[in-house]
Amino acid sequence: MPPSSTDFREAMAHLPAAVNILTTDGPSGRCGITLSAVCSVTDDPPTVLVCVNQGSAMHDVFRANGRVGLNVLGGDQQELALHFAGATKVAMAERFTWDIWDRTQDVPVLKDALVTAVGTIKHTVPMGSHSVLFVDIEQIRTCSGGQSLVYFNREFHRLDAAPLVPEGSAS
């Protein structure tokens, strides 16, 4: 017998995940959403998958515009994650007036994200309550150093970039 939805959500709460803001701009509007369901697919061509709830008001905007910006958040960007999760009730239009955006791209990307990637949605697969968007990445920028923002056990955490200790080393 498969696990219940509640049991599955509880198990997935224990799967640490990077926190991201997916953005778009185009004829169907400008919007962004916080999400953790992002995964690399292949490096040739560079492709990621992003899962977006079909019940989200932004789902159809992303699909219709077809262009997205993926912003991997740093450890000090928890408040921004909350804004784009809708937890702070700041209007969507106001979020894009802040001086945090690199406006040189055709979609909004954050100036201070750990990683920004710009791409085109090439394929969409409906899966239960979500759509899996396959995004071909055309531009990428990576910042070195700093912390990563991760979501684990239903809370945000900062993750330091620490060197791995080789096996057999004394700590």
Side-chain angles (χ1 to χ4, degrees):
M1 190 165 159
S4 70
S5 295
T6 302
D7 289 343
F8 182 77
R9 283 191 302 273
E10 180 63 26
M12 293 301 100
H14 291 83
L15 178 67
V19 180
N20 309 271
I21 295 176
L22 187 70
T23 59
T24 190
D25 195 2
S28 293
R30 180 187 298 160
C31 66
I33 189 170
T34 299
L35 45 79
S36 59
V38 174
C39 180
S40 65
V41 176
T42 181
D43 65 353
D44 187 19
T47 305
V48 297
L49 68 79
V50 179
C51 300
V52 178
N53 191 314
Q54 294 171 9
S56 166
M58 290 160 275
H59 175 272
D60 293 341
V61 178
F62 287 114
R63 289 198 57 209
N65 284 344
R67 298 277 297 154
V68 296
L70 179 64
N71 301 274
V72 181
L73 300 186
D76 61 347
Q77 294 177 309
Q78 178 177 334
E79 185 175 5
L80 197 56
L82 291 170
H83 288 310
F84 280 89
T88 62
K89 307 300 183 207
V90 174
M92 185 67 67
E94 183 179 337
R95 298 174 203 169
F96 288 103
T97 65
W98 301 332
D99 188 31
I100 58 175
W101 300 103
D102 173 353
R103 302 189 192 284
T104 63
Q105 304 295 323
D106 62 338
V107 293
V109 292
L110 292 165
K111 292 177 185 176
D112 296 330
L114 286 179
V115 175
T116 59
V118 175
T120 301
I121 299 170
K122 290 295 184 177
H123 192 61
T124 303
V125 177
M127 181 58 64
S129 60
H130 285 63
S131 289
V132 181
L133 311 178
F134 289 88
V135 180
D136 281 4
I137 301 300
E138 298 146 10
Q139 296 176 330
I140 198 160
R141 184 190 77 221
T142 304
C143 298
S144 59
Q147 297 175 319
S148 179
L149 186 64
V150 297
Y151 197 67
F152 171 70
N153 204 17
R154 296 185 175 89
E155 293 182 0
F156 291 109
H157 301 272
R158 292 178 184 200
L159 182 62
D160 288 318
L164 293 175
V165 177
E167 284 187 39
S169 297
S171 10

